[in-house]
């Protein structure tokens, strides 16, 4: 089969499209003819040779990727043969192998993909969708909220904009550049603002008028995250879920006390310490997709152009969830 392999840590061009042996299905596993593979920002960090969260630096050579959708074409011992031929999506967990024409996964990780749901959308929701729901569960958006979403044109941000509007909240989506701002507007944001403008915080203040930002959903951190934090009104809350800028938001206990703010990390141990929660979030995210309540924005790259996908993601030239097809 053909797959993307990494033989040496470094830049995106180190990702090589090459012929490799097919992965072997063992007891309790299925083989999947892959139609779509999810690309995550963590993939770029690991490709460069760094650890990210609970994921260690991979052993080389490696096939990156942990989210796949396709058709079951083989089953191992102990697996119900009725899985054969079914369209499925799965998260591979801590073991990579998704950037490939075929992948192997435990049968217990499978979710059925309805006929009217695309593989690219399903693969977006199995990972990014479950993360979005975990953050949204923590945020608990109501119709009284004024929600500020940073990187609102991204894979997570685009889902947050949809969820906020569905909850009846005022949603301010900030994104980088005119094209991304237009995308945020199409998603239904009440206000879409370009954070490349130096005065973007003032534009947010003018847009919401007498209302105050009550909730910030931030996965960027750094200066952008801090500027968003500074826009919170009294009693507001900050839910963080990443730091794509390379830095977390810097604030002190005094910052929280003076305005009565709360700050929460929306991911991490709070998810992993509850058995079965990740599976529950996956099931819910796919149900939201099937019902049309959350529809991921997907940017597709051919599998052989995985290096281009990584480069575009790192340069912030992508919108929505990046998927290899």
């Amino acid at each position: 089969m053909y797959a993307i392999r990494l033989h040496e840590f470094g830049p995106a061009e180190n990702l090589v499209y090459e012929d490799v042996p097919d992965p072997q299905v063992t007891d309790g596993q299925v083989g999947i003819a892959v139609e779509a593979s999810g690309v995550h920002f963590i993939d770029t960090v690991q490709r460069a040779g760094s650890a990210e969260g609970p994921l260690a630096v991979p052993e080389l050579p490696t096939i990156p990727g942990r989210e796949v959708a396709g058709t079951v074409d083989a089953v191992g011992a102990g697996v119900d043969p009725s899985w054969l031929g079914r369209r499925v999506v799965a998260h591979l967990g801590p073991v990579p192998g998704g950037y490939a024409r075929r992948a192997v996964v435990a049968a217990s990780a499978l979710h059925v993909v309805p006929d009217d749901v695309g593989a690219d959308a399903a693969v977006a929701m199995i990972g990014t969708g479950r993360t979005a729901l975990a953050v949204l569960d923590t945020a608990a958006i109501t119709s009284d909220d004024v929600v500020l979403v940073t990187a609102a044109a991204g894979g997570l941000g685009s889902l947050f904009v949809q969820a906020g509007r569905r909850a009846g909240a005022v949603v301010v989506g900030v994104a980088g550049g005119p094209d991304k701002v237009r995308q945020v507007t199409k998603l239904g944001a009440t206000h879409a603002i370009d954070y490349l403008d130096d005065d973007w915080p003032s534009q947010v203040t003018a847009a919401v008028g007498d209302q105050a930002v009550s909730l910030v959903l931030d996965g960027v951190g750094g200066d952008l995250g801090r500027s968003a934090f500074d826009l919170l009104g009294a009693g507001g809350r900050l839910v963080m879920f990443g730091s794509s800028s390379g830095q977390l938001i810097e604030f002190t206990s005094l910052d929280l006390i003076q305005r009565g703010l709360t700050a929460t990390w929306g991911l991490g141990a709070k998810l992993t310490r509850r058995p079965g929660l990740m599976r529950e979030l996956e099931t819910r995210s796919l149900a939201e997709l099937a019902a049309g309540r959350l529809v991921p924005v997907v940017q597709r790259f051919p599998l052989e152009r995985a290096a281009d996908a990584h480069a575009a993601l790192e340069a912030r030239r992508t919108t929505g969830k990046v998927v290899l097809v």
Side-chain angles (χ1 to χ4, degrees), residues 19 34 46 55 71 107 112 136 169 171-172 179 182 221 229 231 237 248 259 281 286 295 301 305 320:
D19 197 2
V34 177
Q46 290 196 303
L55 298 178
T71 303
V112 175
L136 290 168
V171 178
V172 183
D179 290 343
R182 282 192 288 272
F229 173 80
L231 287 167
R237 56 204 196 276
L248 294 169
R259 287 184 284 157
L281 290 169
L286 292 168
V295 180
F301 289 80
R305 288 181 52 207

Side-chain angles (χ1 to χ4, degrees), residues 128-141 149 156-157 160 163 215-219 237-242 264-268 270-271 281 284:
T128 300
R130 77 178 187 185
T131 300
L133 287 184
V135 173
L136 290 168
D137 285 349
T138 298
I141 301 173
V149 181
L156 286 168
F160 295 149
L215 170 65
V216 168
L217 299 177
D218 178 67
R237 56 204 196 276
L238 166 69
V239 180
M240 300 169 286
F241 53 91
T264 308
W265 186 255
L267 302 174
K270 66 189 298 180
L271 303 182
L281 290 169
R284 285 174 52 203

Side-chain angles (χ1 to χ4, degrees), residues 226-311:
R226 176 67 205 210
S227 294
F229 173 80
D230 288 340
L231 287 167
L232 278 169
R237 56 204 196 276
L238 166 69
V239 180
M240 300 169 286
F241 53 91
S243 55
S244 61
S245 67
Q247 296 180 316
L248 294 169
I249 301 175
E250 292 188 4
F251 58 85
T252 67
S253 298
L254 186 59
D255 290 322
L256 302 181
I257 294 168
Q258 287 177 331
R259 287 184 284 157
L261 307 179
T262 59
T264 308
W265 186 255
L267 302 174
K270 66 189 298 180
L271 303 182
T272 58
R273 70 186 180 201
R274 179 179 146 190
L277 178 57
M278 299 301 276
R279 175 80 181 182
E280 176 189 320
L281 290 169
E282 291 171 2
T283 300
R284 285 174 52 203
S285 68
L286 292 168
E288 292 293 295
L289 170 63
R293 290 186 292 267
L294 289 177
V295 180
V297 175
V298 177
Q299 184 167 348
R300 304 164 188 81
F301 289 80
L303 175 62
E304 58 269 27
R305 288 181 52 207
D308 293 342
H310 272 226

Side-chain angles (χ1 to χ4, degrees), residues 86-127:
R86 301 187 78 178
R87 297 180 69 237
V88 297
V89 62
H91 198 288
L92 304 182
V95 180
Y99 294 9
R101 298 289 181 183
R102 293 191 74 253
V104 168
V105 64
S108 59
L110 297 177
H111 296 268
V112 175
V113 177
D115 290 340
D116 58 348
V117 172
D120 52 356
V123 86
M125 293 302 284
I126 197 68

Side-chain angles (χ1 to χ4, degrees), residues 171-187:
V171 178
V172 183
V174 296
D179 290 343
K180 292 186 178 182
V181 169
R182 282 192 288 272
Q183 179 67 53
V184 174
T185 299
K186 289 180 181 178
L187 289 168

